[in-house]
Amino acid sequence: MTILGDLRIIDAATLFAGPSAAMMLGDFGADVIKIEHPRRGDPSRGHGASAGGVGLWWKTLARNKRTAAVDLSCAEGQEILRRLCERSDVLIENFRPGTLERWGLDPDDLMKLNPRLIVARMTGFGQHGPMARQPGFGTLAEAMSGFAAMTGLPDGPPTLPPLALADGIAGLAMSYAVMLALHARERTGRGQVIDLAIIEPIMGLLGPQMTAYKALGVVPRRTGNRSSSNAPRNTYRTRDGRWLAISTSAQPIAERVVALVGRPDLVEQPWFATGQGRVQHVDELDEAVASWIAERDAAEVIARFEEAQAAVAPIYDVTDIAEDPQYKALGTFVELPDEELGTVTMQNVLFRLSDTPGEIRWPGRPLGRDTDEVLGELDYSRERVAELREAGVIA
Ligand SMILES: CC(C)(COP(=O)(O)OP(=O)(O)OC[C@H]1O[C@@H](n2cnc3c(N)ncnc32)[C@H](O)[C@@H]1OP(=O)(O)O)[C@@H](O)C(=O)NCCC(=O)NCCSC(=O)C(=O)O
């Protein structure tokens, strides 16, 4: 049984933040209808690697979704969205504040048509405030949240991640917000509006930067691979040229690491007793760990760390991940049949529920693949569907 199988979700969002929330709900069985512009499609179709013009990221991002191409900027398209909203549980959208309203699709009006509708609004900066109407990207959130300021080498520039980090975090937060609103609806019988700004959820992951700033005036600085809250924590090069990562957030692990690298005396130092104290002596700790690791091959270092129950991980790229026995044991990746590519490999559902697991029913589909089916369910006749296609309202 897929636990969200009784839900219909309209994913009228583009790119990553909104659609990734819809993907997570689809993974657990929700009927997700992806609405795209009939001619432009979702720009994420063209992001990243493509195989013969078929976007590979799309295969994951749009998995389990039915794809319908509907132009929401014209009256006939707006009517299609209204009819969909009447029969759906959630509308996820990421237009700039004012765009839905400009199209006559104000959430208040949609909720009059269906008071149980949840309208999940993903924006760069939120629905109000001086920046609300500005276009927003995850990159701007990484810049404005403090993430970039604290990421990078101490003497280097602020650093952006080479991935949609703030978007992914916002997507996770939105899927949680939708589940809360669905739970609330069980009690109240009413839907509600979710206002999620991409600049906010990433901030929650950066540690207590505002708490520490207000209490102590502390401004986080760039520390490269080092942590501001524990040491040793870094990447270290082995004799055979591999890189390993070590973390010592828990005190017993820190003690095991320094004992393993031949410096049990450090544990006796009063400063060693806290992460903060160890950060003050990071050069000495890094030197002890780095020199011990530099004299050994990666396999030996990993074996000795595992034996000592100290935490270490090899720095992987995708070729390592593809061969790793832990991921194989977890079934982290699946190969699925695909109507465009024959087969496609992608990351599996993100976690396992023992009683009601998720599943990937199909990879992302071509633009407009399910338009006719979706309009048929909304009682549009074949003739009307043909007219709308002719007029460019749908594809
Ligand atoms: C993504 C945006 C910057 C795009 O800005 P704009 O192009 O100015 O779009 P608007 O939101 O004003 O919406 C109007 C446009 O929607 C497009 N559009 C999309 N789908 C449709 C459908 N189905 N029908 C009609 N129009 C559509 C169309 O091109 C419209 O342009 P017109 O015809 O001209 O009206 C913005 O939507 C935004 O700030 N969204 C919230 C934050 C967000 O989700 N950002 C992306 C996260 S991913 C990310 O950060 C990253 O990839 O990097």
Side-chain angles (χ1 to χ4, degrees):
M1 161 185 174
T2 40
I3 193 62
L4 302 182
D6 57 340
L7 295 178
R8 173 174 290 165
I9 301 199
I10 309 163
D11 171 9
T14 52
L15 292 161
F16 305 106
S20 65
M23 182 202 86
M24 281 177 273
L25 300 163
D27 279 356
F28 284 87
D31 174 19
V32 180
I33 300 173
K34 171 86 203 171
I35 304 288
E36 293 174 87
H37 191 284
R39 285 163 297 282
R40 294 173 211 164
D42 186 326
S44 67
R45 285 182 179 276
H47 280 240
S50 72
V54 177
L56 295 178
W57 198 349
W58 179 259
K59 290 291 162 193
T60 299
L61 206 54
R63 69 194 193 189
N64 293 325
K65 300 181 185 180
R66 295 196 282 163
T67 55
V70 180
D71 184 352
L72 299 176
S73 67
C74 65
E76 296 91 337
Q78 291 151 10
E79 178 55 22
I80 292 170
L81 191 79
R82 280 191 207 96
R83 284 207 206 177
L84 259 178
C85 285
E86 278 170 359
R87 297 158 204 232
S88 297
D89 298 278
V90 183
L91 166 65
I92 301 180
E93 65 95 10
N94 78 324
F95 298 106
R96 279 193 278 156
T99 299
L100 269 192
E101 290 80 355
R102 172 160 60 86
W103 288 338
L105 297 168
D106 189 312
D108 288 343
D109 295 333
L110 298 176
M111 290 167 76
K112 277 183 197 132
L113 295 175
N114 174 6
R116 290 175 59 78
L117 183 70
I118 291 157
V119 182
R121 314 196 77 176
M122 178 73 79
T123 55
F125 309 103
Q127 294 293 324
H128 64 274
M131 291 188 74
R133 286 186 181 239
Q134 294 298 315
F137 291 111
T139 301
L140 310 192
E142 287 138 20
M144 280 179 63
S145 60
F147 174 88
M150 70 168 72
T151 304
L153 294 171
D155 53 357
T159 304
L160 296 168
L163 63 142
L165 180 66
D167 298 304
I169 298 169
L172 285 164
M174 181 59 98
S175 63
Y176 174 59
V178 168
M179 295 310 297
L180 287 180
L182 286 165
H183 186 65
R185 192 178 72 170
E186 302 223 323
R187 305 260 174 97
T188 65
R190 295 188 306 278
Q192 56 183 310
V193 176
I194 299 166
D195 174 6
L196 194 155
I198 298 173
I199 52 172
E200 289 185 320
I202 183 172
M203 209 158 343
L205 269 71
L206 300 182
Q209 62 167 343
M210 188 57 74
T211 311
Y213 174 64
K214 289 291 183 185
L216 305 167
V218 172
V219 178
R221 301 283 173 213
R222 292 191 280 288
T223 56
N225 288 327
R226 289 174 167 175
S227 160
S228 57
S229 50
N230 74 80
R233 190 273 201 176
N234 212 326
T235 58
Y236 304 91
R237 196 162 194 267
T238 63
R239 184 168 60 187
D240 54 345
R242 301 288 313 245
W243 287 91
L244 304 176
I246 287 173
S247 176
T248 55
S249 289
Q251 189 66 19
I253 305 286
E255 292 172 11
R256 287 173 211 159
V257 168
V258 292
L260 178 64
V261 304
R263 292 296 307 276
D265 55 298
L266 293 171
V267 179
E268 308 308 323
Q269 302 293 331
W271 52 261
F272 197 89
T274 64
Q276 272 309 308
R278 287 186 269 115
V279 166
Q280 304 301 319
H281 294 79
V282 61
D283 287 338
E284 186 178 358
L285 289 164
D286 258 353
E287 165 55 27
V289 175
S291 56
W292 188 85
I293 288 179
E295 289 164 6
R296 290 164 175 81
D297 289 350
E300 184 192 341
V301 176
I302 290 170
R304 297 280 298 274
F305 266 69
E306 282 177 0
E307 210 175 270
Q309 292 286 293
V312 68
I315 306 266
Y316 274 175
D317 66 18
V318 69
T319 60
D320 304 303
I321 296 167
E323 299 305 324
D324 181 79
Q326 181 63 26
Y327 288 124
K328 282 191 179 147
L330 291 174
T332 305
F333 299 95
V334 279
E335 190 181 61
L336 300 156
D338 181 76
E339 63 187 78
E340 293 175 291
L341 300 172
T343 59
V344 64
T345 300
M346 69 178 67
Q347 189 172 344
N348 212 337
V349 177
L350 299 190
F351 43 83
R352 284 155 283 276
L353 295 192
S354 61
D355 193 34
T356 57
E359 65 173 324
I360 307 173
R361 288 158 286 156
W362 60 79
R365 290 173 165 179
L367 180 67
R369 155 80 158 69
D370 305 296
T371 308
D372 289 19
E373 186 179 283
V374 169
L375 265 67
E377 289 166 9
L378 299 176
D379 301 329
Y380 281 87
S381 66
R382 282 192 185 175
E383 296 70 32
R384 184 67 183 140
V385 169
E387 278 168 23
L388 291 170
R389 182 163 283 115
E390 182 65 25
V393 175
I394 61 169

